[in-house]
Each structure stands twice: as C-alpha cells, then as structure tokens.
Amino acid sequence: MRRIIAWSLKANRAVIAIAVALVAFGAVQMQNAKTETLPEFDPPRVVVQTDALGLSAEEVEQLVTVPIEQDLLDGLPWLDTIRSRSVPGLSYIEMVFDQGTPMYRARQVVQERISQAAGLPNVSRPPQMLQPQASQSRTAMIALSSKTLTPIQIGVLARFTIRPRLLAVSGVSNVAIWGQRERQLQVLVDPARLREKQVSIEQVVSSTGNALWVSPLTFLEASTPGTGGFIDTANQRLGIQHNLPVIEPKDLATIAIDDTVGVPLTLGDVATVVEDHQPLIGDAVVGNDGQFLIVVEKLPNADTATVAHEIEQVLTTLRPGLVGLDLDSTIFRPTDYLNRSTSHLLRSLVAGTLLVAVGLVLLLLRWKKALVALASLLVSFAAATTALHLLGFTFNVVVVAG
C-alpha cells in the first residue's frame, strides 16, 4: 500500500489522467447499461404446457396432468416444488428448482423426461416446454381495436401477422393474445335431427375431422395425414397432393357422413355449419372498443428499454399494412417508469454531489482537500458502475441503492 501511495504521489499527473479517463469511460458506458426495476429474484422455473383439445378439466387432470407429473417429472434432480393446473383443453405444470441451479441444467433434465411422453394416452399433443421468463417479464401491452374489422379478422391478423414479428424481437420470450378468437368452421349438431336420421355424434365428429387435411383431434385418422400417392412419368415421379374443397361453411355442409344406412346423408342434414370462433375461457376489455390485448414478455436479464424500443419499431413497420386496425402500445410501458426514474436519479446525484462538496469544504476548511475527497468519491462510483456493466449486471433499484 505504501508503495502504491508513493508511486501515486510521484506520478500525480498520470494518476489524474487515469482518473479522468475512468470517469469519462464510465459515463459513456452507463448510457448503454441494461436497466430494470428490480433484480431477478425468482429461483429457476420451468413450465411444461400440454394442449388437449376437446377434453374437460377433469379429463385433462386424469389423462394428461397426473401421468406427466407423477410418472415423468416427479423426482427430478434439484427440484424443489412442482405445481399443476388443469383447465378445459390445457394442462399446465410449473417446476421450481433450488436456488442457484443453472437454468440450462434445469431445462435439460425436464426435456429429457418429457421426451418419454410417447407412452401417454393418445388424447393430447406432445407436452411443450415454454421459454424462460424474467421475474418481471411483462415488457409491453398492445391493445387492438377496429371499427371495420370483425373480431375474427382481428384475431387472424394478431396470430399470423403481429405475433410472429414480435416473437422475432431479440429478448422476447412469449407473446400472449388475450381475447384471441380463432377462425373456425363449426358443426352445430341438432339432437332431434340426429335421432330422426339415426346418426350418432361420433359419426359426425369423425366425418368432420377426416374431411379436413389435418385434424387437431389426435384420435382421428386425419391427425396423421399420409401420402396421397404418386405418378411415375418417363422423366420423374410426381407426388399427388389432394386440394380439399372445404373453404366456407357451405362446403363443409356437403360432406357425407360415414357409415350411414340407406340414403346418404351430409353434415348439413343433421347440423348447422357456421363460421365462428372457439368458446372463450377468458377475454380482454380495453376501453370501449378494444377486445384484444397482446402481452409481450421478455427473457431473463434482457434489457427492458432495448426490447421495448425494438417492439415500437416493429409496430411502426406493421401499421401501414394493417389497414383498419388500431394499435395502442401505451396501455402498459415499464420503460416510461424507468426513464422517469433515471431522470430523477440523475438529478438526485447532481444535487447530492453539490451537497457533499459543500459539506466537505465546511468540514475540511480547505478547498484542495475537499476537491481530493470529492474526486475520490466520483472515481470510486465510476469504477464500481463500470465494473458492474462490464460484468453484465443489470442496473436496478437494489444495485443503485448499494
């Protein structure tokens, strides 16, 4: 320590130059530092979700959730807590691992287990492991409304145009659409007409599902479409692809019902075929007109300000092509709070520095000593913030308070 002090006194100009360079470098680096409201306080968490279209909550619990939870996921290494929820058509299993477990290890052991799900009953899609999310994951909320488009048309734009572009933003983990209305061709059966025509509901379900190219019902033949055959010519082999004529409700109504006795029957003879959306489990209400809410969630340690800025750029690019659709991204923006907090913090630091300078002058009664003490505080602060930034830490309330 004495040697360092002695060298510093001899090379005082070099020390001053290094201190000025460090403060300048820290000021430049702080402009690009990652910011967040609070640190990542959640332990490692992995979520497995399974779609089981057409099953009730009780059937999902018995046929999907319990077998996956007890037969595959229970007893994982480093597992602390496992929780599950079963709702109509969906199984949700959440696993919380011991604090300090690397996220990639937790996801690896879960992926190894769910890869064995082929032995489960064929009543659902394969279980999917969701992307990891930050403890404060919600980065933006976007309300969709229109006076000219129907809810189903808005749902089509949200799912196939807006959501894929938002998922392509670096740092985005998930994009959830609240109030999503999927376009569907629905067969509304009439029990009286079924009895009159002597047709069972199973016949209607199988005839409707197998009339489509691919059916989401895993127990139907159309859930695993096979080849349409091929034709060999003198020069090449041409594959056969069947173009199904089912586009509108009237097209589906003309499909023949399987295994009928006597006069051939169509779906239109025993049911009403309409275009509508799926039954809503939840919905979104924004203001007076908005029925859609897009929630954008980010990955752990992703910079909130950078992700929000890129989201705004994507929305600006999409707006000219979304004629008749209004996008309101001011519903929820954490970056506004972060910007205000940063501005308040800078003003507080300037005021605090001035007060410290005045206090040092009054205490030491010599401006040179006060200047040295104040410079040491600034250099220490610049060194600490620069080191944290270079190590990849995110600046938040706890870091600034420390």
Side-chain angles (χ1 to χ4, degrees):
M1 181 62 69
R2 292 181 179 179
R3 292 180 180 179
I4 295 176
I5 296 175
W7 179 85
S8 301
L9 292 175
K10 291 180 181 179
N12 52 2
R13 294 183 179 180
V15 172
I16 294 174
I18 293 173
V20 172
L22 181 60
V23 172
F25 180 75
V28 173
Q29 292 298 316
M30 282 298 296
Q31 297 179 359
N32 302 322
K34 296 187 294 183
T35 57
E36 184 56 274
T37 309
L38 294 173
E40 292 292 337
F41 51 83
D42 278 351
R45 186 171 62 97
V46 180
V47 175
V48 173
Q49 185 172 292
T50 308
D51 293 332
L53 184 65
L55 299 186
S56 64
E58 183 178 1
E59 292 170 335
V60 171
E61 177 76 14
Q62 295 177 353
L63 300 176
V64 180
T65 304
V66 172
I68 294 179
E69 184 176 355
Q70 294 186 355
D71 298 341
L72 296 181
L73 301 178
D74 197 13
L76 284 172
W78 313 297
L79 181 63
D80 180 44
T81 306
I82 183 169
R83 295 185 289 263
S84 63
R85 295 198 300 269
S86 299
V87 297
L90 180 66
S91 169
Y92 181 93
I93 302 176
E94 178 184 19
M95 288 153 286
V96 179
F97 289 81
D98 295 333
Q99 191 74 41
T101 303
M103 177 59 74
Y104 75 92
R105 286 186 178 273
R107 294 178 64 84
Q108 179 182 0
V109 295
V110 173
Q111 183 62 46
E112 290 173 353
R113 291 292 184 90
I114 65 175
S115 64
Q116 305 173 21
L120 297 176
N122 188 25
V123 295
S124 67
R125 295 181 180 178
Q128 300 292 328
M129 184 168 53
L130 303 185
Q131 285 273 27
Q133 297 178 2
S135 56
Q136 290 186 310
S137 59
R138 294 190 175 183
T139 306
M141 292 186 182
I142 307 161
L144 306 181
S145 61
S146 177
K147 296 181 179 179
T148 58
L149 301 177
T150 65
I152 293 180
Q153 291 174 329
I154 298 177
V156 171
L157 290 175
R159 178 181 177 184
F160 296 102
T161 302
I162 301 175
R163 187 173 184 270
R165 290 295 302 274
L166 292 177
L167 284 173
V169 173
S170 177
V172 171
S173 169
N174 182 42
V175 177
I177 305 176
W178 291 76
Q180 172 68 358
R181 289 159 172 80
E182 303 281 357
R183 177 182 177 271
Q184 295 180 342
L185 297 181
Q186 298 182 352
V187 180
L188 308 179
V189 297
D190 184 352
R193 293 160 69 182
L194 287 179
R195 288 193 300 268
E196 179 183 352
K197 303 295 184 179
Q198 297 183 354
V199 176
S200 65
I201 187 68
E202 287 79 9
Q203 290 176 271
V204 176
V205 171
S206 63
S207 301
T208 304
N210 290 327
L212 304 178
W213 191 314
V214 180
S215 174
L217 301 178
T218 56
F219 54 86
L220 295 181
E221 185 179 353
S223 64
T224 53
T227 178
F230 57 87
I231 298 176
D232 282 333
T233 66
N235 299 319
Q236 60 182 336
R237 172 173 291 180
L238 302 176
I240 299 176
Q241 181 178 357
H242 300 284
N243 293 324
L244 299 180
V246 179
I247 300 176
E248 299 180 357
K250 62 180 181 180
D251 302 327
L252 186 58
T254 61
I255 296 298
I257 300 177
D258 299 335
D259 302 327
T260 55
V261 180
V263 180
L265 299 175
T266 63
L267 294 176
D269 295 331
V270 297
T272 303
V273 184
V274 298
E275 179 181 316
D276 206 343
H277 59 79
Q278 83 284 7
L280 297 179
I281 299 177
D283 204 352
V285 177
V286 183
N288 298 324
D289 301 325
Q291 295 178 322
F292 288 80
L293 188 66
I294 298 179
V295 180
V296 184
E297 298 171 315
K298 70 182 186 71
L299 293 167
N301 298 319
D303 184 19
T304 302
T306 302
V307 174
H309 177 67
E310 293 185 8
I311 290 174
E312 290 293 337
Q313 288 183 330
V314 169
L315 296 179
T316 302
T317 305
L318 290 176
R319 279 191 175 94
L322 302 175
V323 180
L325 184 63
D326 297 327
L327 288 79
D328 184 6
S329 60
T330 63
I331 301 298
F332 176 77
R333 289 196 298 192
T335 51
D336 293 342
Y337 168 77
L338 290 175
N339 293 334
R340 290 195 301 268
S341 300
T342 303
S343 178
H344 294 166
L345 177 62
L346 291 177
R347 289 200 295 267
S348 300
L349 287 175
V350 172
T353 302
L354 294 177
L355 291 176
V356 169
V358 173
L360 289 174
V361 171
L362 295 177
L363 179 64
L364 301 175
L365 299 179
R366 291 186 180 182
W367 68 270
K368 290 184 178 180
K369 292 183 178 180
L371 181 61
V372 172
L374 183 62
S376 65
L377 293 177
L378 293 178
V379 173
S380 299
F381 183 79
T385 54
T386 302
L388 290 174
H389 175 66
L390 295 178
L391 291 174
F393 285 90
T394 301
F395 286 87
N396 49 66
V397 174
V398 177
V399 172
V400 172

